[in-house]
Amino acid sequence: MFKQVDPKQKYSEMEKEKVDFWKKNKTFEKSVDQRPEDKMFSFYDGPPFITGVPHHGTLLSSVVKDCIPRFWTMKGYRVERRWGWDCHGLPAENMVENKLGIKSKSEIEGKIGIEKFNRTCMEETSKIADEWEEIVDRVGRWVEFKNAYKTMDNDYMESVWWAFKQLYDKDLIYEDVRVSLYCPRCATPISGFEVAMDNSYQMDKDISVYVKMKLAGSENKHFLVWTTTPWTLPANVALAVGKNIVYAEVKVKNQKQENIKQKPSLYFSEEETYIIAKDRLEALDADYEVLREFPGSELIGESYAPLFEHKIKDGYKVIQADFVGTEEGTGIVHLAPAFGEDDFNARKEKGLPIILNVDEEGKFNEGSWEGKFVWEANPEIVGWLKENGFLYRKENITHSYPHCHRCGTKLIYKAQSAWFAAIDSLRDKLLEKNEEINWVPGHLKEGRFKKGIESAPDWNISRDRYWGTAMPVWKCGNKKCSKVKAVGSYEELEELSGRKLEDYHRPWVDEVVWKCEKCGGEMKRIPQVFDCWMESGSMSFAQHHYPFENKEKFKKSFPADFISEYISQTRAWFYVMHVMAVGVFGDKSYKNVLTTGTIAGSDGKKMSKSLGNYTEPGEVLEKYSADALRFYFLSSVLMHAENLNFSEDAIKDIQRKTLGTLWNSYSFFTLYANTDNWTPGKKTAESANLLDRWILSELNGLIENIDENIKKYELIKPCREITNFVDNLSNWHIRRSRRRFWKSENDKDKENAYQTLWAVLVDFSKAIAPICPFISEEVYQNLTGKESVHLENYPEADAGKIDKKLDEKMKRTREIVELGLSLRAESGIKVRQPLSRLLVKGEDLENDFIDLIKDEVNVKEVIFQEKQGDNIKWKSGRHLEAGLDAEITPELQLEGKTRELIREIQETRKKADYEISDRILVYYRGGEEIFDSYSREIAGEVLAKKMEKTEKEPADYDIEKEVSIGGEKITVWLKRVK
């Protein structure tokens, strides 16, 4: 006997029972341990920040990271799955700053000190939220939480030290002053890929100014210069032009009248002349006279009077630069090398000076605005320009501008000393190894990822912060000595210094010093910590504390067979993993990568509680099921790295139409099998039944399809085929076979029906186990009595059972049925009303298929012919045409009434809660013509032992039903009998 299945089972409760079972039974651990160690499928998990909370995006990632490993486990591989936590970096520091009431970086050292700050970071990041494990378990993801690696652990950090030393020794690390994005609030550089990854651009309003800079030696001739960052003007050292750009010297006469009301006034003198690119004359916003035109090459080497004069050498001159264009501005670019990438590069090429007048908190450290934050000083600087006659025009602009991805502060570009990984030196190898990676979707290989590598700047790997892996670089304190030492292990550090630490974070590692072997000075660690992305990029080896232990384990798992994250990680985790692997080992880090899209709210906007544009994950899992959410994700365009608007209705449909239909099929089987005390045979008999052969063909084709596609990391196609199969099984095989389970006069056919359906449900549960682990476990355990479907091997498709000709004929059969039923509906004739014939234009089918058509469409005859005819209405389908004879003779009408009456009696049986095998007595009043003509058929259908006519209410009965059939009132009384 099988466990009785409740057709109205609440799926979330069933799933929670499975989670409890897996935990108590240690099913996940068994699934790993039972697979051989020499047959490994390696999977790297991109860990979440420990400060984050689970959301639909992390659930999407978890679903993919569970589905693929489950599949390969069932294919016989040992798939270890280890959770990890990203603990360092700005996410943790910002959290602790809020907790301690710290508003700036300077307060960390000034108010509480590095030691207290980092101890608090350690405490807070050690409080791993239980909600992560709970929600990950609930969505059905198997992963090892207890042995999770943490990037803040000493072992992990030591491996990062080792990797850095490998890169350093290969001359792939250097220190330099460079301009990069900088957060004044966090007082540290920010990687461009971090900003791009989280799309941390916001629309900002800024002041745009056109500034007059007087040509040296002239009375009234000015360069007209445009900038959207007036605060950088006090650091100006040069102007840049394009040597082949045509410039014009113009005299402005008056502002255009139509613009006076719409735009601020212009500040000009008719005695002054202005130099501007000819293609940008419209920026004058005034009537003007062109005095002369000339190439930019004439301007190169000219000097000009500075707005804010500094004592600098080789400054305040005009240089040539290829980055100057005429798409916007004036064709003349103001250069402040401390605050612009192009500016800084031009400075190195042309030997320009640099003015760094802004401190690490984004405040001026000299001049009239000393102590002012640069963005706050902007309006005052514009006011000063106007008062001193340097302003030509100002306007407010709205543009997209980068913000800190962690604290939200508006970023600036700023020159700073930092340590870099030489991406340019690795670029060819990075591109070469990318060719060996299987990207899903495939266009990312040659597209987004490759282009990212081609354009990537050298990677700023240092951060001027506190909570992170300390950079293992010691420098001699003697300014005359150039000694630098990169340390690759704690043992090496102990040998150099004689000190061993319990914790290698700041400030304790900062206290480790030793005598310089070159000059006798003191070797002291530089203050920077690593960019936390360097830690993330090191996880392939650092999670194993390689090379200090687990050498063989690492070698077996590298490169990873599979990784997965959302598409923005092409610029982040995927990228840094690739860089570290190629830089350290000369190889790729992973072989196959499945990249998902991102989930937006139902309105296409970012998911937001205030907007109410999505349903919380826990609520979705409770209302529908984890299997439904998983199927929703895995069957969507997310698997092709496209974005998806969250739709609760779509999840609801999957639960109802796919999983609910499967559950009903499973429930149907257990109900009838238990009624007949049926148990499966040791060997599946070969059934001659057309429907059995067809569904077994469909099943084996499905298994083949899922197997082939998941091996290619393609998940959408298998999900679509699963949906089709569930429909085929329930709405065709079971529905067409229903009578075989309870009324079959052929015991062998009935046995075949049971054996086939049982075998199909068991193998189907195995086939869908990686995608829908809960319902597959429920079905498999109940129908087999075995421990778990997830401890089984993935089913092998039986090629001998795949009959493509049969499949095609069944498709044609179902298309004919669809056309016939559609023609009935258009004629307003119920399906229970028999009709004489259905005509089909097309190739003939065998009798078994024709019998199916006759039963489904409820016609006496199916006639195949070469062309239309008979003055009957025809309908075209995808591949053929059909016509229905809608004439209803008195004989057909009587038969239709009989079927209507049978349906009413069956409904009354259900209302009386009769078991499907209960025999009954039927008493009736009225409908004599129906009962006289079809009593045997009625009795057979409703399991009546006896049908008796009566003129009055019987003395003993269970339920009464009065119906109207064809306008005639008929009363029936039913009585259950033994």
Side-chain angles (χ1 to χ4, degrees), residues 37 84 152 265 437 469 472 552 596 634 908 963:
E37 291 188 15
M152 66 181 180
S265 299
I437 300 171
T469 299
E552 287 304 312
T596 70
L634 298 176
T908 308
V963 298

Side-chain angles (χ1 to χ4, degrees), residues 177-357:
V177 175
R178 297 276 295 275
V179 170
S180 61
L181 285 169
Y182 184 87
C183 177
R185 161 66 178 75
C186 300
T188 189
I190 302 290
S191 292
F193 68 73
E194 290 181 290
V195 176
M197 181 186 73
D198 288 330
N199 194 23
S200 300
Y201 283 81
Q202 297 179 24
M203 297 307 293
D204 280 319
K205 287 185 178 180
D206 280 316
I207 302 173
S208 158
V209 294
Y210 293 79
V211 181
K212 298 180 283 187
M213 294 189 179
K214 186 182 289 187
L215 186 69
S218 73
E219 283 293 321
N220 292 307
K221 191 180 294 186
H222 299 79
F223 294 106
L224 208 55
V225 180
W226 177 70
T227 181
T228 59
T229 53
W231 65 265
T232 63
L233 289 170
N236 170 265
V237 300
L239 299 178
V241 297
K243 64 181 179 181
N244 296 320
I245 294 175
V246 176
Y247 289 85
E249 183 180 348
V250 301
K251 183 173 281 191
V252 175
K253 296 181 177 180
N254 55 268
Q255 184 172 4
K256 293 181 179 178
Q257 291 299 311
E258 64 268 24
N259 292 338
I260 291 176
K261 291 182 180 179
Q262 296 176 6
K263 296 181 181 179
S265 299
L266 304 181
Y267 307 99
F268 66 91
S269 166
E270 291 191 4
E271 284 74 41
E272 295 176 337
T273 62
Y274 307 111
I275 297 171
I276 184 174
K278 179 182 178 182
D279 289 346
R280 296 301 304 156
L281 287 169
E282 63 186 56
L284 294 170
D285 197 35
D287 294 326
Y288 56 84
E289 177 188 355
V290 176
L291 303 179
R292 70 185 187 100
E293 295 180 4
F294 51 91
S297 56
E298 280 191 24
L299 298 172
I300 297 170
E302 293 283 0
S303 297
Y304 63 94
L307 303 177
F308 305 89
E309 190 163 2
H310 295 266
K311 292 181 180 179
I312 56 175
K313 288 180 67 177
D314 299 320
Y316 308 125
K317 61 185 179 182
V318 179
I319 67 166
Q320 141 69 20
D322 292 336
F323 57 77
V324 179
T326 56
E327 291 78 22
E328 57 185 358
T330 64
I332 303 173
V333 177
H334 124 74
L335 300 181
F339 307 111
E341 275 191 279
D342 288 335
D343 311 44
F344 188 84
N345 293 334
R347 171 234 171 196
K348 293 181 77 173
E349 182 183 342
K350 305 292 185 181
L352 299 174
I354 184 170
I355 299 170
L356 188 54
N357 57 356

Side-chain angles (χ1 to χ4, degrees), residues 488-506:
S489 71
Y490 301 151
E491 183 179 346
E492 182 184 0
L493 183 63
E494 187 179 1
E495 290 174 357
L496 290 164
S497 66
R499 294 195 59 183
K500 189 174 184 179
L501 304 177
E502 289 185 8
D503 189 336
Y504 286 84
H505 283 99
R506 300 187 70 188

Side-chain angles (χ1 to χ4, degrees), residues 139 212 254 360 418 454 513 579 701 734 743 782 808 909:
V139 81
K212 298 180 283 187
N254 55 268
E360 66 172 12
E454 289 173 338
V513 296
V579 169
I734 291 178
K743 196 192 171 191
N782 192 21
E808 284 302 313
R909 280 183 61 106

Side-chain angles (χ1 to χ4, degrees), residues 782-829:
N782 192 21
L783 297 192
T784 67
K786 293 185 179 180
E787 186 175 351
S788 173
V789 70
H790 303 294
L791 300 180
E792 299 296 325
N793 288 329
Y794 200 77
E796 294 287 336
D798 186 341
K801 286 188 169 65
I802 299 176
D803 188 337
K804 293 187 177 179
K805 288 184 179 179
L806 171 60
D807 296 343
E808 284 302 313
K809 287 180 179 179
M810 195 63 81
K811 284 179 184 175
R812 284 180 56 209
T813 299
R814 295 187 74 177
E815 183 176 354
I816 293 169
V817 167
E818 285 177 19
L819 288 172
L821 293 176
S822 179
L823 286 164
R824 290 190 75 110
E826 290 174 8
S827 301
I829 303 171

